[in-house]
Amino acid sequence: MSKATAPVAQPFPGEPPVTPALVREHKLNDREYAEILDMLGRTPTLTELGVFSALWSEHCSYKHTRPVLKTFPTEGPQVLQGPGENAGVLRLPDGWAVAFKIESHNHPSAVEPYQGAATGVGGILRDVFTMGARPVAVLNSLRFGPLDDARNRYLFGGVVKGVGDYGNCVGVPTLGGEVTFAPGYSGNPLVNAMCVGILRADDLITARAHGVGNILMSVGARTGRDGIHGASFASEDLSAESEARRPQVQVGDPFTEKLLLEASLELITSGTIVAIQDMGAAGLTSSSAEMAARGGVGVELDTSRVPLREAGMTPYEILLSESQERMLLVVEPHRIGEVEAICAKWELAGTVIGRVTDDGLFRVIHEGRTVVAIPGERLVNGVPMYYPDAIESPEAVARRAGTPAIAARVDAGAALPLLLDDPTIASKRWVYDQYDSTVQANTVLGPGGDAGVIAVDGSRFGIAVSVDCPNRYVALDPYEGGKMTVAEAARNVACTGAVPLGITNCLNFGNPDKPDMFFQFKEAVRGMGDACRAFDTPVTGGNVSLYNESPTGAIDPTPTVGMVGLLDDVTTRVPSAFQQPGDLVAVVGTTRGHLGGSMYWWLVRDFLGGPPPPCDLDAERCLQRFLVAASRGRLLRSAHDCADGGLAVALAEAAIGGPYANATMGAGVHLARPDNIGIDAMLYGEDGARAVLSFDPGSVDGLRALAAEHGVPFAVVGNVGPANGELRITVGTEVLTWATADLRQAYFDAIPRRMAA
């Protein structure tokens, strides 16, 4: 629409005029405001300025990252719905499909950890069930500063309780996750929530408004003043003033969410509605504008008809509120009564608040006055794109080239208990004991292993899910770290016997206007894309979270990956811990002793640097296929990947058993050591493409032949010992022993002991 024909909107009574200071307050720069003036051919109203501020925020528009994200592979025969919708969807056997997505709620959790985390879970649940999928699993990736700091303990405790309370009340099992502690997250914790849902492929629905004359209805909670400007808050650095943004954190109600979930799924499966969209970031504004833009239509909203829980709210507040548990529906006029009846069945109100139009405008009326009139497609897709410089910092180059200056604080034997006692490696049972991991009764492998596995009702197959990000590697070499992020997630899924199918990602980085930060982002995306192409695991969607900086500096670049895999027969799933005395133990893959970026160097030699282990995509792919084939052949009793802490930690974790094991297992292992690899590198190097296996001795020939077929190095190194025995590792001529009961205590008590401080 040209400037000459652009419709005029009227300020709402009492609104101040738009001034340069007000524009800056809404986080719009001179270039963006000039684009707005050109688009409208006039000065915007305050309400219109608020709309632009929300939809043109980094959180909603991806104005720094969209060109880079387009380099991801997003297609494949398994992809039913790729990026651009609420969640990605992959095909499964027998007419089923899986919807999944991961998103961040970092800044809200930094100032209000309980509600920030709880509403993050609520939002990701809605993203999945708006696709027509019933949520069957929640996962999370959490990062905090060290637990010797009281505020970090407060944030950690509040986030975990918020995640657990919300998921438990809705009745969705928490199936897995990861928690990492590092100094860079002290000022800016990360809270990434993932949801997985199952649907019949024929029930897939999208958030695409169409049908001129169709009706817009709101369903769910009433609209309040919580969460206003939440999207713009998520698009700026944290500072000393961020605590004042606490009122912009949404407040969740999981019991309303449960009702909304059931009502939404009934509306979708009954064919009663045309489209559905969660009112998430930027609330009613983003849900309505984005639905219209996808469908190439306009929308007209009457904010005076929106059900409110606070009197006197202005259209500005109504449009930008991020009150939780709300949905926007597109409904054919003759079906309004059916929608209202289904909503009433679930004790919810369905309210007509607008209509689909043919003029392409995003129009808002309040009490008969047009307060917003913006060309809709340009509002959503017309945000100026930015192409920042991407230059690696000299400090990063030097750090990658460095080596430890301090000798090891302990010998190789004492290093293992030290590593197992570190909260990043230690058991996260303190966390997932607060989550219900068995509700819905389909959990086959729960938290504490390599990946969670759920059965699909009425089918033989199952779904394996994992989240991963080796942030230390990404910080040292974003490209190799990006590859390894995808590889670790795929390796975890494959260890259960599942074929990796696809990923969602949550890309957490610092300020994109800083060349070194944007270099990290571009290189990590490049590495992740190369890994996804190598593994045939397309990217189906996700989230970018930038401006993760505080006065103490930027976070480690943290591109978290959520991986979904298919287990053809759920009865063949493979756990991670040793199962039976007398079984043989094998190591698959090649040990080269890479210590750069390792937990060993960090904890034992006080050094985080050096080149991280290179990610051999061919070797990773071969290992995945071998693990899947071995599971299908029922040749394995356990499989556990080597990651943080290397081979020694993987062996110890397999021996000390799962969180609820009645006893530990002993193990005796002999590792041949090449002359050029020291004992510390042999035990604690973090080379990729490796796993520790246990199996019945009668399976050894079949496994050896299968490994040769897939080109995977395979070495029988020992056997599983008696219950409550010792872990004995012989490296060359050196023999190291530990009582597995002592290792288990260190591993499981590390976080509870610190949280009790």
Side-chain angles (χ1 to χ4, degrees), residues 52-125:
F52 279 109
S53 174
L55 288 187
W56 286 19
S57 68
E58 186 68 48
H59 190 76
C60 290
S61 71
Y62 289 23
K63 55 193 175 187
H64 285 87
T65 61
R66 195 181 301 177
V68 180
L69 298 177
K70 288 181 179 179
T71 65
F72 276 137
T74 59
E75 298 179 348
Q78 70 271 49
V79 177
L80 194 59
Q81 175 63 60
E85 282 289 340
N86 288 296
V89 183
L90 299 175
R91 300 178 195 276
L92 297 175
D94 305 330
W96 289 97
V98 57
F100 64 114
K101 177 85 171 288
I102 189 169
E103 282 202 341
S104 64
H105 230 221
N106 302 335
H107 283 31
S109 301
V111 300
E112 215 308 307
Y114 180 85
Q115 290 294 351
T119 52
V121 174
I124 201 65
L125 286 168

Side-chain angles (χ1 to χ4, degrees), residues 407-431:
R409 293 192 287 118
V410 296
D411 63 23
L416 181 58
L418 188 69
L419 287 163
L420 293 174
D421 182 63
D422 184 79
T424 291
I425 290 179
S427 168
K428 308 309 184 295
R429 186 176 62 186
W430 185 91
V431 176

Side-chain angles (χ1 to χ4, degrees), residues 77 103 113 127 168 199 214 250 258 271 333 384 407 414 503 638 654 679 723 735:
E103 282 202 341
D127 280 343
N168 295 351
L199 69 157
N214 282 341
Q250 309 93 326
K258 173 62 174 174
I503 76 162
S638 72
I679 188 171
V735 181

Side-chain angles (χ1 to χ4, degrees), residues 122-415:
I124 201 65
L125 286 168
R126 292 193 297 277
D127 280 343
V128 164
F129 68 74
T130 54
M131 304 301 294
R134 178 170 292 279
V136 294
V138 171
L139 299 92
N140 49 74
S141 174
L142 311 177
R143 282 173 163 76
F144 304 91
L147 289 179
D148 57 3
D149 179 88
R151 179 164 179 80
N152 291 332
R153 293 195 298 274
Y154 157 74
L155 293 171
F156 178 44
V159 164
V160 170
K161 184 168 176 55
V163 168
D165 284 0
Y166 204 99
N168 295 351
C169 290
V170 177
V172 180
T174 298
L175 211 59
E178 60 166 359
V179 189
T180 295
F181 303 88
Y185 301 110
S186 283
N188 198 135
L190 301 185
V191 177
N192 296 175
M194 178 179 174
C195 181
V196 180
I198 299 295
L199 69 157
R200 301 298 298 179
D202 291 342
D203 289 335
L204 174 65
I205 190 170
T206 59
R208 188 180 301 273
H210 57 86
V212 173
N214 282 341
I215 301 301
L216 301 178
M217 296 182 69
S218 69
V219 175
R222 291 175 173 267
T223 297
R225 289 188 168 94
D226 54 318
I228 294 174
H229 284 307
S232 57
F233 175 38
S235 305
E236 60 186 60
D237 293 346
L238 289 172
S239 67
E241 289 73 43
S242 293
E243 197 70 22
R245 307 295 290 266
R246 186 183 296 263
Q248 293 172 6
V249 178
Q250 309 93 326
V251 178
D253 178 359
F255 300 105
T256 299
E257 178 97 345
K258 173 62 174 174
L259 298 174
L260 187 61
L261 185 161
E262 298 298 344
S264 298
L265 292 180
E266 185 169 345
L267 289 166
I268 292 166
T269 56
S270 66
T272 313
I273 60 176
V274 173
I276 182 170
Q277 171 79 29
D278 167 39
M279 294 192 209
L284 179 57
T285 294
S286 64
S287 56
S288 56
E290 290 172 2
M291 287 178 86
R294 290 188 190 113
V297 294
V299 290
E300 180 179 283
L301 300 171
D302 186 344
T303 47
S304 53
R305 303 187 67 172
V306 174
L308 305 178
R309 66 167 183 257
E310 299 183 45
M313 289 183 67
T314 67
Y316 177 102
E317 293 172 321
I318 295 167
L319 285 170
L320 298 182
S321 167
E322 293 184 11
S323 294
Q324 296 289 283
E325 295 89 35
R326 300 180 300 157
M327 288 288 178
L328 184 66
L329 311 180
V330 180
V331 182
E332 293 173 301
H334 67 279
R335 307 202 77 162
I336 292 175
E338 295 174 74
V339 170
E340 290 174 334
I342 291 174
C343 292
K345 171 185 173 181
W346 295 103
E347 302 178 10
L348 299 171
T351 306
V352 174
I353 63 168
R355 63 190 179 95
V356 178
T357 64
D358 63 357
D359 60 8
L361 284 179
F362 178 73
R363 181 186 290 107
V364 179
I365 296 170
H366 193 88
E367 297 176 349
R369 178 191 300 260
T370 299
V371 294
V372 174
I374 304 172
E377 196 279 332
R378 289 184 67 185
L379 169 63
V380 174
N381 298 316
V383 59
M385 289 289 112
Y386 295 89
Y387 301 86
D389 292 333
I391 304 169
E392 187 170 23
S393 71
E395 293 80 9
V397 175
R399 189 167 58 246
R400 188 167 58 247
T403 55
I406 299 172
R409 293 192 287 118
V410 296
D411 63 23

Side-chain angles (χ1 to χ4, degrees), residues 458-619:
S459 300
R460 288 179 60 84
F461 68 87
I463 302 297
V465 288
S466 178
V467 292
D468 259 297
C469 179
N471 54 282
R472 300 185 314 280
Y473 301 166
V474 186
L476 292 171
D477 187 327
Y479 175 71
E480 290 295 334
K483 288 196 297 181
M484 192 66 87
T485 296
V486 179
E488 283 199 9
R491 200 185 315 136
N492 281 332
V493 163
C495 277
T496 69
V499 177
L501 286 184
I503 76 162
T504 177
N505 56 53
C506 191
L507 308 177
N508 306 273
F509 288 82
N511 188 327
D513 293 320
K514 298 179 179 179
D516 58 326
M517 296 292 107
F518 203 67
F519 175 87
Q520 292 176 340
F521 175 80
K522 287 186 69 175
E523 285 296 285
V525 167
R526 184 169 72 92
M528 295 168 73
D530 284 352
C532 287
R533 279 180 281 270
F535 304 155
D536 296 320
T537 53
V539 180
T540 64
N543 170 229
V544 179
S545 174
L546 302 181
Y547 300 99
N548 287 291
E549 300 199 17
S550 70
T552 61
I555 61 161
D556 283 349
T558 310
T560 305
V561 160
M563 176 74 71
V564 169
L566 173 65
L567 196 62
D568 287 342
D569 183 347
V570 76
T571 66
T572 66
R573 82 277 189 181
V574 180
S576 61
F578 295 153
Q579 301 294 304
Q580 190 164 316
D583 281 351
L584 295 181
V585 175
V587 174
V588 289
T590 302
T591 296
R592 295 184 172 86
H594 281 283
L595 287 170
S598 67
M599 288 294 291
Y600 175 82
W601 270 7
W602 171 242
L603 295 174
V604 178
R605 303 191 65 180
D606 298 324
F607 179 72
L608 180 57
C615 181
D616 185 332
L617 296 177
D618 290 335

